[in-house]
Amino acid sequence: MKFNSVAIVTGASQGIGRATALRLARDFSAVVLAARNQDELQKTSAAVNAAGAESLAYALDLREPQSAEILVKGTLERFGRIDALLNIAGAVPQIDLFEMTDTQWEDGMALKLHGARRLTIRAWDALKASGGSVVLISGSAALDPKPGFAAVAAINAAIIALAKAFAERGINDGVQVNSVVPGAVMTGRRESFFKKWAPVHNLTVEEAMERFPEEVGIARFGRPEEIADLMAYMVSPAAKWLTGTSVRMDGGEIKGI
């Protein structure tokens, strides 16, 4: 079923962002794509068009404050509305708490936290007009912080809090806001991490990838398409009463309540 509606997906050049853009092409008339990698973004754009939705791609860096203005203004000029905003962009360095520099902390926050914050605020009036939905992506490290990836945990926890703050405003403004907390999803970025991590621990990449699920207590890695299906549900009419919630999908990795 097609809706006469427009979704914006950030981080759309790869991984969960690309999978989500392709999934939303089944439900939305148009999908606006944003990412830093122009070549990969164009591949996503072509795939969205092939899936039956109209695409509009912006190669930009959401760490830059003007990017939110460019993206929202361009979307409204082209399509006249925004019905869903999915904030997926964000790469936070996995560096030990005692080794990470101020610059690395600030860079990690600039894209995933502040980029999403600015974009949501800039799109808010359009979302009010459409009774739209916002999803911010966090991660399971927020619920189980470790010193080896303290920035990932801290920034992801901040995103959950930010989403809840937006959601409370959204109850009065008619904008639905939630966050998604994925676990260990196998993306290109995760594969790159294992290629660096495995030799340091005297393992092959294959051994590292086989060992990880067992060590964290899950049966397998997640797939980007599984998170994309969840995202699509959360911005669908069927989920409209779901707001102010952090939805975890991690294969059972987080054992605590």
Side-chain angles (χ1 to χ4, degrees):
M1 179 180 180
K2 289 285 185 182
F3 305 106
N4 182 24
S5 52
V6 179
I8 296 175
V9 181
T10 72
S13 63
Q14 61 181 327
I16 293 171
R18 173 178 283 175
T20 299
L22 296 179
R23 173 61 184 83
L24 294 183
R26 291 156 48 185
D27 298 336
F28 286 78
S29 303
V31 183
V32 181
L33 313 167
R36 290 174 286 180
N37 188 322
Q38 184 168 6
D39 291 342
E40 293 301 319
L41 189 63
Q42 290 304 317
K43 293 178 184 178
T44 304
S45 180
V48 168
N49 291 334
E54 185 174 352
S55 70
L56 177 62
Y58 284 91
L60 46 73
D61 189 344
L62 288 167
R63 291 175 297 188
E64 302 296 332
Q66 68 270 21
S67 292
E69 173 66 24
I70 293 169
L71 183 54
V72 172
K73 183 179 179 181
T75 299
L76 293 175
E77 287 178 349
R78 176 74 170 270
F79 300 114
R81 62 187 296 146
I82 300 170
D83 298 271
L85 169 60
L86 296 101
N87 292 290
I88 302 174
V92 182
Q94 297 184 1
I95 300 174
D96 189 89
L97 175 62
F98 287 86
E99 298 174 1
M100 196 162 172
T101 66
D102 285 352
T103 299
Q104 289 168 328
W105 271 99
E106 290 162 3
D107 188 66
M109 294 182 69
L111 178 58
K112 191 164 187 180
L113 179 66
H114 294 308
R117 174 184 59 81
R118 281 191 294 263
L119 184 54
T120 302
I121 290 171
R122 178 60 184 85
W124 196 258
D125 285 344
L127 291 161
K128 284 174 61 177
S130 67
S133 303
V134 180
V135 178
L136 294 91
I137 194 163
S138 176
S140 58
L143 308 178
D144 187 24
K146 303 293 184 184
F149 44 89
V152 180
I155 293 171
N156 281 338
I159 287 168
I160 293 173
L162 179 66
K164 286 185 175 292
F166 274 125
E168 185 166 340
R169 176 65 63 87
I171 291 171
N172 293 326
D173 289 350
V175 181
Q176 172 198 25
V177 185
N178 294 289
S179 61
V180 169
V181 184
V185 177
M186 182 51 67
T187 63
R189 183 174 294 132
R190 187 171 291 274
E191 289 177 3
S192 297
F193 167 76
F194 278 120
K195 288 177 182 178
K196 296 177 182 178
W197 184 86
V200 176
H201 294 81
N202 296 316
L203 297 170
T204 67
V205 174
E206 292 74 18
E207 288 170 339
M209 293 174 65
E210 289 176 3
R211 181 178 297 184
F212 182 86
E214 182 179 349
E215 288 186 352
V216 300
I218 59 177
R220 62 170 174 84
F221 289 102
R223 296 187 297 271
E225 293 76 15
E226 292 174 307
I227 306 300
D229 281 336
L230 175 60
M231 296 277 200
Y233 170 72
M234 292 176 73
V235 298
S236 73
K240 275 298 182 183
W241 204 45
L242 180 72
T243 197
T245 299
S246 179
V247 179
R248 179 169 57 85
M249 189 176 194
D250 66 358
E253 179 180 349
I254 301 298
K255 303 299 191 290
I257 295 173

